[in-house]
Amino acid sequence: MFGLGVIVNSLVVALASLAALLLKNFIQRLVKKETIENISNTVMSGLALCVIYMGISGALECKHTIVCIVSMVVGGIIGQIIDIDKALNKFGEKLEAKFNKGNGEQISISQGFVSASLLFCVGAMAVVGSLNSGLFGDNQILYAKSALDGVGAFLFSLTMGIGVLLSAVAVFVYQGAIAMGSFLLKGLLSTSVITEMNAVGSLLIMALGINMILKSDIKVANLLPAMFIPIIFGVFGVI
C-alpha cells in the first residue's frame, strides 16, 4: 500500500521515543550503559542481515542484467560527479551548526530534534525506501528502516530527550514528500521499467546492509541516480 511505510516509520520513531522517555529513569537504574550499547549492536547486526536479504531478493527480480550493470555504472558516475554523499553530509553539518549551539551543559530540544532527524532522514535508505513505496507500493524497506530507527530513537531519547520524539514529524514530511513525488511519476512508467528500477534499488539496499554489518564505506548516496537510468532504456524502447 502506497505511503503505509512512511506512516509506520514515523509512528515507530514516535512510540520508541515516548517509551524511552517514560522508562528512562527505570532503565538507567537497572541497566548499565555498556549493556544497552551491546544489545543495540547485536540487534543492529541482525537487522543488517535482514536488509541484505531484502536487497538480494529484490535484485533477483531483474529481467535485463545489462540494464542493471549500465545503470549502476552510469548512475555511479553521475552521482560521484555531483557527489550526493558529500552534499548530504554538508547539509547535515550546516543544520548541526545552525541549531546545536549549546554550551554542552544540557542538550536542548532543538539539538535532539536536529540530530535525530539527520539520523533518520539524511541517508540513502530513507530515499530508496520512500521511492519504493511510491513507485512500487513496496514498503518492506521502510519497515526494515522502522526497526532500525526504533532502536535508534529509543537509545537517542534516553540521552537527548523529547527533541527525538519531535523528529517523527520530520520523518513523515521528508519521506512522505519523496513517496508522493515518485507515486505521481509511476503513471508515466511501463511495468518493465519499474521492474528494472526496483532491481537497481534492491542492489543499493544490499549495499546499505553491507555497510551496516561490515562497517564498510560504500557511498550508496552517490549511486542513487542509478535507479532512474532504466527510464532512459524505456524511452528508447530497449526494455
Side-chain angles (χ1 to χ4, degrees):
M1 178 181 174
F2 159 66
L4 182 60
V6 174
I7 296 172
V8 170
N9 198 175
S10 306
L11 285 176
V12 168
V13 169
L15 293 175
S17 299
L18 184 60
L21 293 173
L22 293 174
L23 299 172
K24 181 177 179 179
N25 292 333
F26 174 75
I27 291 174
Q28 289 180 340
R29 288 197 303 266
L30 188 66
V31 184
K32 294 180 180 179
K33 182 179 180 181
E34 182 181 351
T35 302
I36 295 176
E37 291 176 350
N38 289 337
I39 292 173
S40 174
N41 290 335
T42 301
V43 171
M44 288 293 191
S45 295
L47 291 173
L49 292 173
C50 294
V51 171
I52 292 173
Y53 167 75
M54 287 190 300
I56 294 174
S57 298
L60 290 175
E61 298 296 321
C62 177
K63 303 298 182 183
H64 302 85
T65 306
I66 190 64
V67 172
C68 283
I69 293 173
V70 173
S71 295
M72 293 297 282
V73 171
V74 176
I77 291 172
I78 294 172
Q80 190 59 51
I81 290 174
I82 301 173
D83 207 345
I84 300 172
D85 183 77
K86 183 178 180 181
L88 287 174
N89 287 331
K90 278 191 173 181
F91 175 67
E93 289 169 1
K94 285 182 179 179
L95 285 179
E96 290 274 16
K98 182 176 181 179
F99 290 98
N100 294 352
K101 296 179 179 179
N103 55 16
E105 295 178 358
Q106 186 176 3
I107 298 173
S108 66
I109 292 177
S110 65
Q111 184 176 355
F113 170 75
V114 173
S115 297
S117 296
L118 290 175
L119 175 67
F120 304 143
C121 295
V122 182
M125 197 169 193
V127 177
V128 177
S130 301
L131 286 172
N132 271 25
S133 179
L135 286 173
F136 321 120
D138 181 1
N139 295 292
Q140 294 305 310
I141 295 170
L142 287 182
Y143 293 155
K145 180 177 179 292
S146 298
L148 295 169
D149 290 353
V151 175
F154 189 89
L155 296 175
F156 260 48
S157 295
L158 291 177
T159 55
M160 306 192 78
I162 197 171
V164 180
L165 174 62
L166 300 178
S167 70
V169 177
V171 171
F172 180 79
V173 173
Y174 176 75
Q175 294 183 171
I178 296 174
M180 178 60 72
S182 59
F183 178 75
L184 296 175
L185 177 66
K186 178 181 179 180
L188 305 175
L189 305 176
S190 67
T191 302
S192 58
V193 170
I194 291 176
T195 297
E196 300 309 316
M197 289 178 70
N198 186 40
V200 173
S202 295
L203 289 173
L204 302 188
I205 289 301
M206 187 165 59
L208 286 169
I210 292 171
N211 276 349
M212 290 167 60
I213 202 164
L214 298 180
K215 311 299 181 184
S216 56
D217 189 30
I218 301 173
K219 290 182 169 53
V220 181
N222 284 348
L223 291 169
L224 285 173
M227 275 194 73
F228 301 96
I229 301 301
I231 296 176
I232 300 175
F233 286 93
V235 170
F236 288 98
V238 177
I239 57 176

